[in-house]
């Protein structure tokens, strides 16, 4: 279908689900692209610390900006 599959999670969520931030899943961890949330209003990966087999992310959700027409919109960044 032409869709790229990835993982959306934070270190905290990963550790909560798997019991350890260093837990890895073969064929997923460090293989599929990682998109992580950190609401610091900054378009940079300077805040990222490796977890779950990922050394670097491909995208970041950095803000849940003001509502537009009454709908809250998350802001995402990808270099």
């Amino acid at each position: 279908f032409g869709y790229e599959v990835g993982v959306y999670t934070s270190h905290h969520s990963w550790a909560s689900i798997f019991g350890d931030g260093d837990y890895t899943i073969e064929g997923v961890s460090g293989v599929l692209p990682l998109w992580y949330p950190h609401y610091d209003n900054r378009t940079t990966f300077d805040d990222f610390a490796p977890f779950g087999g990922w050394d670097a992310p491909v995208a970041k959700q950095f803000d849940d900006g003001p509502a537009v027409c009454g709908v809250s919109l998350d802001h995402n960044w990808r270099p």
Side-chain angles (χ1 to χ4, degrees):
F1 294 110
Y3 295 105
E4 183 178 350
V5 176
V7 175
Y8 173 82
T9 190
S10 66
H11 181 276
H12 176 76
S13 293
W14 188 263
S16 294
I17 294 166
F18 297 110
D20 184 354
D22 293 327
Y23 184 84
T24 60
I25 300 173
E26 186 176 342
V28 173
S29 299
V31 176
L32 295 179
L34 176 66
W35 171 29
Y36 77 107
H38 184 208
Y39 293 89
D40 62 357
N41 203 29
R42 295 177 46 219
T43 55
T44 177
F45 293 146
D46 290 349
D47 60 315
F48 182 78
F51 70 92
W54 286 279
D55 292 325
V58 298
K60 175 182 177 180
Q61 192 166 79
F62 67 92
D63 186 33
D64 60 347
V68 176
C69 296
V71 177
S72 178
L73 300 175
D74 292 326
H75 296 176
N76 301 286
W77 174 74
R78 183 175 182 167

